[in-house]
Amino acid sequence: MEKIAVIGAGVAGLTLAHHLKDIAEVTLFEKSRGVSGRLATRYSGDYVFDHGAPFFTVRNKAFRNFIQDAIDKGLLVEWQPKVITLENISRHYRRDWFEPHYVGFAKMNSWCKALAKNHKIQLNTKISSVQKVTTQWQLIDTNGNATELFDWVISTAPAPQTQELLTLAFSRYYAFQQVEMMPCFCLMVGFEQPVDLPWDLAKVKNSAIQWISLENSKPGRDHHVTCIVIQSTEEWANEYLEHDLGWVSDQLLTEFVNLVGLPIPENAHIDIHRWRYAGVNLKNDTNNPVQTKDPFLLDPDQRLAACGDWCLNGDVESAFLSAYELARDFHRYLS
């Protein structure tokens, strides 16, 4: 049985592990202390924040079939918040959703944790290089530790990080130059008391803020505390990416207060996370395409591959579809 190393244990990596488990021995390497990638959840006492993707949609039949078991088990549930479009404190209007939006019950990463069961995963292992050893591959982590040898290496890391890992021998190496990934700041604010807002989720226009989410309105959350997630726009984050996080936090808090009119108490819990690779900037410019135009990148001669949401539209469903299509190709090669 072929041995495959998968870098990253987010949706793409876990999808690969699930679909390849019957034809290969798969080991996932994850730099963080837990699985889920952008379907991340941060905890602090009673506060729970989904500080990655606030929700996701399902439009593809294969993706629907993949998550159906998690829906049946209650791990994934439909979120039906009161949604508005917000521009300033005196102007907002209701926003309708015309398709189901899903979240993890109690916490966003619950689904990925369930997917990770029975798979071989090495957490807290950041891979810094991939080296050829005769006809196989060996991975080196940031502590200088070398892994066992693998027949294949697949990276599901963001495109810039995957480009650093895979060698120039990778026949699709220059496709990474067509991918432009964008950052995002996520500000997390917790109040000890419930807050009465006439909405649960706000799509913000003409602001440094893109989304405001009342986390305790999600299914399975503690309604006795208030957890608010404030996500910046990718454009604003790109402009201020390297600024001090304290300054970024103050700017987003000020904008939030101006938009919502909700003062921040002195004892509020405040935290911030900088996502360097949060989304894909899709431009309608035929002379400067930013997508790979393929759902994955594969070099069967070198036995290297890459996939992820950045190959498609940069969302959760894209992460699944990219890995799903790559796994289908692997079934053809390995069978």
Side-chain angles (χ1 to χ4, degrees):
M1 188 173 277
E2 299 277 85
K3 297 176 67 174
I4 301 177
V6 175
I7 301 171
V11 172
L14 293 170
T15 298
L16 285 170
H18 176 82
H19 285 96
L20 296 176
K21 65 180 185 295
D22 295 330
I23 62 169
E25 182 184 329
V26 181
T27 303
L28 294 97
F29 297 90
E30 170 57 48
K31 67 178 181 180
S32 302
R33 60 183 179 181
V35 301
S36 72
R38 285 273 292 153
L39 286 183
T41 303
R42 181 170 293 186
Y43 316 87
S44 180
D46 294 331
Y47 301 122
V48 179
F49 304 95
D50 294 335
H51 66 296
F55 51 80
F56 65 88
T57 56
V58 182
R59 297 167 184 170
N60 179 274
K61 183 178 179 180
F63 188 35
R64 159 65 66 177
N65 292 338
F66 185 64
I67 70 168
Q68 189 60 53
D69 182 63
I71 294 174
D72 294 341
K73 292 178 178 177
L75 295 171
L76 290 176
V77 292
E78 187 178 346
W79 183 32
Q80 298 177 324
K82 299 174 184 176
V83 189
I84 65 165
T85 296
L86 183 65
E87 286 200 56
N88 55 54
I89 194 171
S90 60
R91 180 185 176 190
H92 65 269
Y93 49 91
R94 180 176 173 177
R95 185 184 185 97
D96 292 323
W97 277 358
F98 300 101
E99 60 183 326
H101 289 61
Y102 291 93
V103 297
F105 184 81
K107 50 187 179 295
M108 188 59 112
N109 62 9
S110 57
W111 171 48
C112 287
K113 286 186 174 182
L115 282 178
K117 290 182 178 179
N118 302 320
H119 291 300
K120 187 177 179 181
I121 303 175
Q122 292 190 23
L123 300 173
N124 295 307
T125 306
K126 184 177 181 179
I127 301 303
S128 59
S129 64
V130 177
Q131 300 177 357
K132 196 71 172 285
V133 180
T134 61
T135 61
Q136 293 180 296
W137 293 99
Q138 190 171 55
L139 286 64
I140 311 298
D141 67 19
T142 51
N143 294 320
N145 300 315
T147 68
E148 59 186 303
L149 297 178
F150 291 93
D151 301 300
W152 291 80
V153 174
I154 307 173
S155 176
T156 68
Q161 295 176 333
T162 296
Q163 184 177 19
E164 292 179 0
L165 288 171
L166 301 189
T167 68
L168 282 168
F170 182 48
S171 64
R172 303 302 307 279
Y173 183 83
Y174 291 101
F176 297 118
Q177 297 178 0
Q178 296 178 298
V179 181
E180 182 182 5
M181 299 203 71
M182 298 292 287
C184 174
F185 289 108
C186 181
L187 182 66
M188 293 155 274
V189 184
F191 299 166
E192 292 182 353
Q193 302 297 327
V195 171
D196 185 21
L197 289 173
W199 46 267
D200 303 316
L201 181 68
K203 176 72 169 72
V204 187
K205 297 176 66 176
N206 301 314
S207 168
I209 296 173
Q210 182 175 24
W211 289 100
I212 303 173
S213 171
L214 192 61
E215 295 292 285
N216 40 297
S217 70
K218 293 179 177 179
R221 310 302 169 98
D222 185 354
H223 300 292
H224 296 96
V225 297
T226 298
C227 301
I228 298 174
V229 166
I230 302 164
Q231 287 197 351
S232 75
T233 66
E234 294 174 353
E235 294 76 16
W236 191 87
N238 195 46
E239 183 175 356
Y240 299 106
L241 182 61
E242 302 302 338
H243 275 57
D244 176 73
L245 287 179
W247 180 89
V248 172
S249 178
D250 289 342
Q251 297 298 309
L252 292 177
L253 273 178
T254 299
E255 183 72 358
F256 169 78
V257 172
N258 291 337
L259 283 165
V260 180
L262 180 67
I264 307 298
E266 290 186 0
N267 65 343
H269 169 85
I270 297 174
D271 197 5
I272 191 167
H273 184 82
R274 173 167 42 208
W275 293 100
R276 289 189 177 274
Y277 308 112
V280 180
N281 189 11
L282 302 175
K283 297 180 180 178
N284 295 318
D285 182 357
T286 57
N287 296 319
N288 184 30
V290 298
Q291 289 179 279
T292 66
K293 295 186 177 179
D294 296 315
F296 56 84
L297 303 177
L298 175 63
D299 183 344
D301 294 330
Q302 291 294 324
R303 294 190 161 203
L304 295 172
C307 67
D309 59 5
W310 47 270
C311 288
L312 297 170
N313 296 316
D315 56 14
V316 174
E317 187 170 53
S318 294
F320 164 80
L321 288 174
S322 177
Y324 173 73
E325 293 297 335
L326 176 57
R328 291 180 65 186
D329 246 34
F330 262 83
H331 273 268
R332 287 191 285 267
Y333 278 111
L334 300 187
S335 62

